[in-house]
């Protein structure tokens, strides 16, 4: 018994401490070193942070280079796949574009109204720029759903910067290096986004599921029946994590799963190639009351000027929308005239056809009469032997022929 | 003379193949994301490290395995050192099994591998959820362990063929 324990201890000691001639470090040293790194990485030391940024920069670039063959295969696969549904997509996109164009103008008006209202409540006005970023690494890990983009602190990216695919929310930045950043996708288990479900106007938190869909959590109880598949989810702006009104996805109720609502994201995270990072700069709005107290006319002028500019812009947009409506009106008028002429043409056609039908009826009656005339004419015709008969082509003669047929029947 | 030199260089590169593949795999992650296979993932570095350290392959430096772990953490986005610890634990386990085994048996190794990856995944799960407050899905861990275990035998036959060709 003691001997086997000794053997075990010897084997363990040998495994930990013995190093062959080629090995520079024993396994125990390396294991302890790993534990040390794990402990240090949990603390936010400046030196470790810089070291990590350095390693990240190097590794992300290397990973991008190493992934080139894999990405090539992946892209080819998707390109072939997209060619098969090319025409269908084109038609769908065309329809969508038409509807989006009409929505665009009304959106612009709302945006200007929003700015004006924010100024009225003395909030800050955030001006944001979207910069294009390329995804350099997008490996699907069972632990973390994230992507790495080629923009970092050099391009004013900060932790929490929202990332978009067109205008759809994709995620937010969780790690910033000098020229690269890691973006936590909305589908990750650790992602939580305060959102509003429209049109029901229900506040909720959207969390990732670790798969390509999200889950709705923390809503008021017993309101599930209010949801429908047409519900749209967008950021509520609560907690100042994201701006309000950024589209996230559509609500999806799964038939087999009860009491659970899922979010189908507008963006397909597996297909991302380029994304937009929104860099925000906040400028405080001039306080009107203060300005009035100081009777600073020059500043007042600038405020009024700004307001006037906004109003001018608004007028410009309204003019544009009016113009668009006028154009639409003209188009509809043209269509109406065309339809009217079509109707009159159709009416003429119907009149001619009716006439033809009447004539046909007359001819039909005449044929029937002639047929009867052949049969009974000799009985109704006035002749030497038949004094009671009638003259041919008189109405009496005609009646006589018809009555003879009726009598026979 | 130059031909001989280039031949020896190629042979050296061939000998370093497992390490090169290890670094490519940690930088590349060998994902099957674009195939849209929902429940499919396996940890190739685990198989590679387990096999070559078990065979005490001369070019398989522990320090390089440790660095590969650091790279893997950076690429995957895990706290630095987690994968290094996992890889080094595999090395320790294989070193131990080498010491206690007189007659190697592939099936025994296979099940020993299952035990090791279960242990390492448990440690990973515990560290990530307890110390780093990660929300993790247990299912994905189990699926990963299952496929890593299944693929072990397939990869071992390839690696054996490689070692045989190297010895020849």
């Amino acid at each position: 018994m003691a001997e086997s324990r000794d053997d075990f201890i010897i084997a363990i000691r040998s495994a930990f401490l013995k190093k062959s001639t080629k090995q520079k470090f024993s396994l125990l040293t390396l294991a302890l070193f790993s534990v040390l790194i794990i402990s240090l990485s949990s603390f936010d030391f400046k030196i470790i942070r810089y070291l990590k940024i350095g390693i990240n920069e190097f590794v992300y670039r290397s990973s991008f280079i190493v992934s080139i063959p894999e990405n090539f295969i992946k892209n080819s696969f998707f390109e072939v796949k997209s060619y098969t549904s090319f025409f269908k997509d084109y038609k769908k996109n065309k329809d969508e574009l038409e509807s989006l164009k009409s929505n665009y103008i009304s959106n612009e008006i709302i945006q200007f109204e929003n700015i004006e209202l924010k100024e009225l409540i003395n909030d800050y006005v955030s001006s944001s720029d979207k910069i294009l970023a390329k995804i350099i690494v997008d490996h699907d890990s069972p632990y973390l759903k994230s992507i790495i983009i080629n923009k970092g602190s050099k391009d004013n990216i900060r932790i929490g910067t929202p990332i978009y695919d067109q205008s759809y929310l994709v995620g937010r930045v969780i790690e910033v290096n000098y020229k690269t950043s890691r973006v936590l996708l909305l589908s990750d288990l650790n992602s939580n986004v305060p959102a509003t479900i429209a049109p029901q106007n229900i506040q909720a938190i959207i969390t990732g599921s670790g798969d390509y869909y999200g889950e709705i959590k923390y809503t008021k109880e017993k309101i599930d029946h209010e949801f429908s598949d047409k519900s749209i989810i967008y950021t509520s702006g609560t907690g100042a994590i994201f701006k309000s009104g950024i589209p996230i996805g559509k609500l999806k109720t799964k038939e087999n799963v009860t009491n659970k609502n899922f979010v189908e994201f507008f963006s397909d995270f597996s297909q991302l190639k380029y994304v937009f990072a929104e860099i925000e700069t906040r400028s405080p709005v001039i306080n009107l009351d203060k300005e009035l107290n100081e009777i600073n006319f020059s500043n007042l002028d600038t405020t009024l000027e700004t307001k006037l500019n906004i109003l001018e812009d608004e007028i410009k947009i309204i003019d544009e929308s009016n113009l668009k409506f006028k154009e639409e009106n003209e188009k509809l008028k043209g269509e109406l005239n065309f339809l009217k002429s079509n109707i009159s043409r159709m009416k003429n056609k119907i009149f001619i056809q009716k006439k033809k039908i009447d004539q046909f009826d007359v001819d039909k009656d005449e044929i029937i009469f002639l047929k009867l005339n052949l049969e009974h004419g000799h009985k109704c015709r006035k002749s030497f032997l038949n004094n009671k008969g009638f003259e041919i082509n008189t109405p009496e003669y005609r009646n006589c022929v018809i009555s003879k047929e009726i009598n026979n029947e | 003379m130059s031909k001989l030199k280039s031949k020896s260089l190629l042979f050296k590169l061939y000998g370093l193949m497992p390490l090169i593949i290890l670094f490519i795999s940690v930088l590349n992650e060998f994902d099957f994301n674009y195939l849209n296979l929902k429940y499919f993932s396996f940890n190739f570095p685990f198989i590679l490290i387990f096999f070559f350290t078990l065979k005490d392959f001369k070019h398989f430096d522990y320090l390089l395995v440790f660095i590969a772990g650091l790279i893997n953490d950076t690429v995957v986005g895990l706290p630095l050192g987690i994968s290094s610890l996992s890889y080094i634990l595999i090395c320790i386990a294989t070193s131990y099994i080498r010491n206690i085994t007189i007659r190697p048996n592939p099936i025994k190794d296979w099940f020993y591998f299952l035990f090791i990856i279960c242990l390492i995944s448990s440690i990973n799960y515990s560290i990530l959820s307890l110390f780093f407050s990660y929300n993790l899905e247990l299912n994905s861990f189990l699926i990963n362990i299952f496929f890593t275990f299944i693929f072990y035998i397939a990869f071992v036959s390839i690696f054996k063929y490689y070692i045989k060709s190297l010895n020849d």
Side-chain angles (χ1 to χ4, degrees):
Chain A
M1 183 75 184
E3 214 169 85
S4 69
R5 205 172 62 201
D6 283 348
D7 286 347
F8 174 74
I9 291 165
I10 289 163
I12 285 281
R13 267 182 60 186
S14 165
F16 271 102
L17 299 168
K18 197 182 157 193
K19 53 174 184 172
S20 55
T21 44
K22 290 262 173 184
Q23 306 293 350
K24 291 170 193 75
F25 296 92
S26 73
L27 284 167
L28 183 70
T29 319
L30 290 172
L32 287 174
F33 200 51
S34 307
V35 174
L36 183 76
I37 290 174
I38 293 169
S39 337
L40 286 174
S41 64
S42 62
F43 301 110
D44 197 24
F45 291 131
K46 211 174 179 180
I47 301 166
I48 291 167
R49 211 189 312 147
Y50 283 125
L51 188 76
K52 217 173 154 184
I53 287 170
I55 295 171
N56 287 351
E57 287 289 346
F58 170 73
V59 171
Y60 291 162
R61 300 280 162 189
S62 315
S63 182
F64 176 66
I65 293 161
V66 170
S67 302
I68 287 171
E70 187 203 328
N71 286 336
F72 175 73
I73 296 165
K74 196 160 85 174
N75 292 338
S76 314
F77 175 74
F78 281 124
E79 266 177 29
V80 169
K81 214 176 159 186
S82 69
Y83 270 116
T84 55
S85 57
F86 188 72
F87 185 68
K88 209 175 153 188
D89 284 348
Y90 164 75
K91 277 199 122 185
K92 200 181 151 194
N93 289 339
K94 207 179 165 189
D95 292 343
E96 259 180 36
L97 189 71
E98 284 298 317
S99 66
L100 284 172
K101 268 182 184 172
S102 60
N103 284 338
Y104 178 72
I105 288 172
S106 56
N107 275 344
E108 274 206 329
I109 294 167
I110 291 164
Q111 271 179 19
F112 274 100
E113 267 179 2
N114 193 294
I115 293 167
E116 200 187 7
L117 288 168
K118 272 191 170 176
E119 285 195 348
L120 283 172
I121 58 165
N122 292 325
D123 199 359
Y124 58 80
V125 177
S126 58
S127 58
S128 56
D129 287 321
K130 277 186 184 173
I131 54 164
L132 189 72
K134 192 184 176 186
I135 295 163
I136 52 172
V137 182
D138 68 336
H139 294 311
D140 189 28
S141 148
Y143 313 108
L144 203 69
K145 300 275 174 201
S146 64
I147 50 171
I148 291 149
I149 56 170
N150 69 343
K151 293 279 183 278
S153 57
K154 188 186 162 226
D155 310 284
N156 290 330
I157 300 261
R158 292 181 202 144
I159 286 179
T161 300
I163 304 293
Y164 301 88
D165 173 21
Q166 303 300 330
S167 58
Y168 305 133
L169 190 69
V170 166
R172 68 191 166 92
V173 173
I174 53 162
E175 178 191 284
V176 183
N177 306 311
Y178 185 62
K179 278 172 101 176
T180 54
S181 316
R182 185 180 286 276
V183 178
L184 187 79
L185 296 173
L186 294 179
S187 57
D188 188 83
L189 281 169
N190 300 288
S191 158
N192 294 303
V193 183
T196 302
I197 302 164
Q200 293 88 351
N201 201 21
I202 296 162
Q203 302 299 308
I205 300 280
I206 310 298
T207 61
S209 62
D211 215 322
Y212 287 106
Y213 58 86
E215 284 175 15
I216 293 175
K217 283 189 180 166
Y218 313 118
T219 50
K220 218 168 80 180
E221 275 178 23
K222 290 174 185 172
I223 52 163
D224 289 2
H225 63 277
E226 288 182 30
F227 295 144
S228 70
D229 272 4
K230 282 180 182 172
S231 300
I232 289 171
I233 296 149
Y234 57 86
T235 54
S236 65
T238 316
I241 303 167
F242 294 103
K243 278 197 318 188
S244 59
I246 309 165
I248 296 172
K250 277 188 292 184
L251 196 86
K252 205 99 190 157
T253 43
K254 283 197 176 174
E255 282 173 13
N256 299 332
V257 188
T258 49
N259 297 327
K260 259 196 170 182
N261 291 296
F262 298 92
V263 183
E264 191 186 24
F265 297 117
F266 284 130
S267 174
D268 185 357
F269 300 146
S270 64
Q271 302 283 305
L272 295 173
K273 263 185 178 179
Y274 295 93
V275 286
F276 290 98
E278 190 176 38
I279 304 160
E280 211 170 79
T281 46
R282 289 176 175 187
S283 54
V285 171
I286 305 149
N287 192 331
L288 265 177
D289 294 337
K290 225 178 179 179
E291 297 299 310
L292 282 169
N293 288 338
E294 286 171 8
I295 323 170
N296 191 338
F297 290 109
S298 62
N299 276 348
L300 191 67
D301 279 351
T302 47
T303 318
L304 284 170
E305 207 173 297
T306 325
K307 282 205 158 200
L308 274 171
N309 281 339
I310 290 163
L311 285 169
E312 267 174 11
D313 286 340
E314 220 170 284
I315 289 164
K316 207 175 162 187
I317 288 161
I318 289 164
D319 281 345
E320 272 176 19
S321 57
N322 276 343
L323 203 75
K324 198 179 157 57
F325 289 138
K326 264 185 188 172
E327 275 173 14
E328 266 181 29
N329 238 349
E330 289 297 318
K331 202 178 157 191
L332 287 171
K333 264 185 189 173
E335 271 177 27
L336 195 73
N337 285 337
F338 175 71
L339 288 171
K340 268 183 182 171
S341 66
N342 255 1
I343 288 166
S344 63
R345 212 171 56 234
M346 288 293 169
K347 268 183 182 171
N348 278 338
K349 213 175 175 182
I350 289 165
F351 180 73
I352 292 160
Q353 278 175 352
K354 213 176 172 185
K355 235 177 163 181
K356 271 184 185 170
I357 289 164
D358 287 345
Q359 187 59 45
F360 175 76
D361 285 344
V362 169
D363 290 349
K364 202 179 164 189
D365 286 346
E366 199 59 36
I367 287 164
I368 292 164
F369 172 74
L370 288 171
K371 212 176 166 187
L372 295 174
N373 190 34
L374 279 172
E375 242 179 89
H376 311 291
H378 63 281
K379 291 173 191 169
C380 295
R381 213 175 294 137
K382 199 178 180 180
S383 65
F384 180 73
L385 293 170
N386 188 6
N387 281 335
K388 285 178 185 174
F390 306 100
E391 287 290 328
I392 298 165
N393 287 339
T394 58
E396 288 82 12
Y397 175 78
R398 197 179 176 90
N399 285 338
C400 173
V401 171
I402 292 163
S403 62
K404 288 283 178 208
E405 175 64 19
I406 292 163
N407 286 339
N408 272 3
E409 277 175 1
Chain B
M1 187 69 184
S2 63
K3 249 188 181 179
L4 213 70
K5 254 186 184 177
S6 68
K7 251 191 179 178
S8 71
L9 188 77
L10 274 174
F11 185 73
K12 224 176 180 179
L13 267 175
Y14 192 62
L16 287 169
M17 196 71 103
L19 267 176
I20 295 165
I21 292 172
L22 175 68
F23 275 89
I24 289 171
S25 75
V26 291
L27 281 167
N28 203 27
E29 261 296 296
F30 276 140
D31 66 58
F32 286 83
N33 188 14
Y34 57 93
L35 290 177
N36 288 328
L37 297 171
K38 202 177 175 187
Y39 293 111
F40 182 73
S41 72
F42 71 96
N43 204 322
F44 178 72
F46 276 9
I47 300 171
L48 193 90
I49 294 166
F50 185 87
F51 180 81
F52 284 101
T53 51
L54 191 68
K55 297 287 169 199
D56 203 13
F57 193 66
K58 60 178 178 180
H59 297 296
F60 226 72
D61 196 335
Y62 292 146
L63 183 70
L64 292 172
V65 172
F66 175 81
I67 292 166
L70 290 181
I71 291 170
N72 188 57
D73 289 331
T74 317
V75 171
V76 176
L78 293 172
L80 224 57
I82 294 270
S83 298
S84 302
L85 184 66
S86 308
Y87 295 170
I88 293 301
L89 284 177
I90 292 176
C91 295
I92 291 167
T94 49
S95 173
Y96 171 73
I97 200 171
R98 230 181 19 243
N99 285 336
I100 60 163
T101 310
I102 297 162
R103 268 184 300 173
N105 183 337
I107 301 296
K108 266 187 190 173
D109 290 348
W110 192 25
F111 282 93
Y112 189 71
F113 175 68
L114 176 67
F115 169 72
I116 294 300
I117 55 172
C118 285
L119 182 80
I120 287 166
S121 295
S122 313
I123 293 169
N124 275 351
Y125 188 86
S126 311
I127 294 173
L128 288 172
S129 54
L130 291 174
F131 297 107
F132 292 94
S133 308
Y134 271 54
N135 279 327
L136 297 164
E137 212 184 346
L138 200 63
N139 281 347
S140 60
F141 269 88
L142 293 173
I143 289 159
N144 193 275
I145 289 170
F146 176 73
F147 281 113
T148 312
F149 172 65
I150 294 293
F151 278 104
Y152 176 79
I153 282 291
F155 280 110
V156 158
S157 52
I158 298 166
F159 295 154
K160 272 184 181 169
Y161 182 76
Y162 162 77
I163 286 179
K164 203 183 158 199
S165 69
L166 201 73
N167 290 335
D168 291 345

